[in-house]
Amino acid sequence: STSEVDVAEWFKSGSDEFLTYADSAALRLICKIQLKGRPLGEICDVQRGVTPFKTYPIPTHNTSRPAFVGTVRRFSLECPAKPAYIRFDATLAELKPERYFVGPRLLLREMISRQFRLQAASTKDDFVTNKSMQSILELPNGPDLPYILGILNSQLMSWFFLHRSNVAQRDDFPKIVLKESRSLPIANWGCPLG
């Protein structure tokens, strides 16, 4: 099937994104969603996990912390029966502040599902995640995490993301990178998109 589009519309935002997957109707909807929302990075604290991610079956140092070696699905976590630990200290090339790995937060998986859907889940458990996982923390005066979780896992947000991202359209490993996550438009809580 074919669609018509004014190619100049792809470049109106002045960003480096190429909206090559959006026809004119999709562009109108993308603009509406962006106008009705604020970037996730402005209303939540979003950061990816640590690098490298060498895990051990038992704690090996006094800086060892539980490590997440399971899978994030939409609204749920799949955890293995055996625990894993990571040395969480300055030996890591990309050490992140501990706040991203403790207490209530959302986890957004960088890999897109086979159904081309974003996958996020909520947790309160303390564990360190690797760079393929993004932690989303609530900010003062920001929306509640369950609200953000519902939006991230919605079909509309996956559609929006897939129409804007060339990385999500790759054949090998479609994913969402940190910059894209932080720019996802979140509708003003308490205000419908209408």
Side-chain angles (χ1 to χ4, degrees):
S1 75
T2 61
S3 297
E4 289 188 17
V5 65
D6 177 359
V7 177
E9 294 289 321
W10 289 345
F11 306 100
K12 265 191 171 175
S13 70
S15 69
D16 58 357
E17 295 166 334
F18 298 95
L19 304 177
T20 54
Y21 301 97
D23 59 18
S24 294
L27 284 171
R28 284 191 297 275
L29 183 53
I30 286 170
C31 288
K32 183 176 183 179
I33 293 169
Q34 286 179 305
L35 287 172
K36 296 285 185 177
R38 289 181 58 195
L40 179 64
E42 289 181 9
I43 58 174
C44 291
D45 186 359
V46 186
Q47 185 57 262
R48 68 181 198 161
V50 301
T51 306
F53 198 73
K54 182 172 174 59
T55 61
Y56 304 91
I58 59 170
T60 56
H61 296 80
N62 61 353
T63 59
S64 291
R65 300 286 184 275
F68 180 71
V69 292
T71 304
V72 170
R73 302 282 183 215
R74 291 180 63 243
F75 298 106
S76 67
L77 300 177
E78 295 175 4
C79 300
K82 295 181 180 181
Y85 297 88
I86 186 171
R87 184 175 174 184
F88 187 74
D89 56 28
T91 60
L92 292 170
E94 290 186 35
L95 180 64
K96 303 292 190 316
E98 194 165 18
R99 71 176 182 271
Y100 294 109
F101 310 111
V102 297
R105 64 200 183 281
L106 302 181
L107 298 180
L108 176 63
R109 182 178 166 179
E110 283 195 346
M111 293 296 293
I112 308 297
S113 75
R114 289 189 180 110
Q115 294 76 34
F116 289 95
R117 297 284 303 266
L118 297 175
Q119 300 176 96
S122 136
T123 188
K124 294 178 182 175
D125 298 335
D126 297 348
F127 51 70
V128 179
T129 55
N130 68 18
K131 68 177 183 176
S132 70
M133 206 68 59
Q134 298 174 16
S135 293
I136 302 170
L137 308 180
E138 197 172 298
L139 288 177
N141 302 315
D144 294 336
L145 289 179
Y147 176 80
I148 299 296
L149 180 63
I151 290 178
L152 291 176
N153 282 326
S154 71
Q155 190 171 357
L156 178 63
M157 189 54 61
S158 291
W159 176 91
F160 173 88
F161 170 66
L162 287 167
H163 278 77
R164 288 184 48 97
S165 173
N166 286 330
V167 177
Q169 298 290 345
R170 296 190 315 197
D171 287 337
D172 51 358
F173 296 107
K175 65 180 188 173
I176 183 167
V177 296
L178 190 58
K179 176 183 174 184
E180 293 171 322
S181 301
R182 289 176 173 163
S183 71
L184 291 173
I186 306 299
N188 295 328
W189 44 106
C191 301
L193 270 176

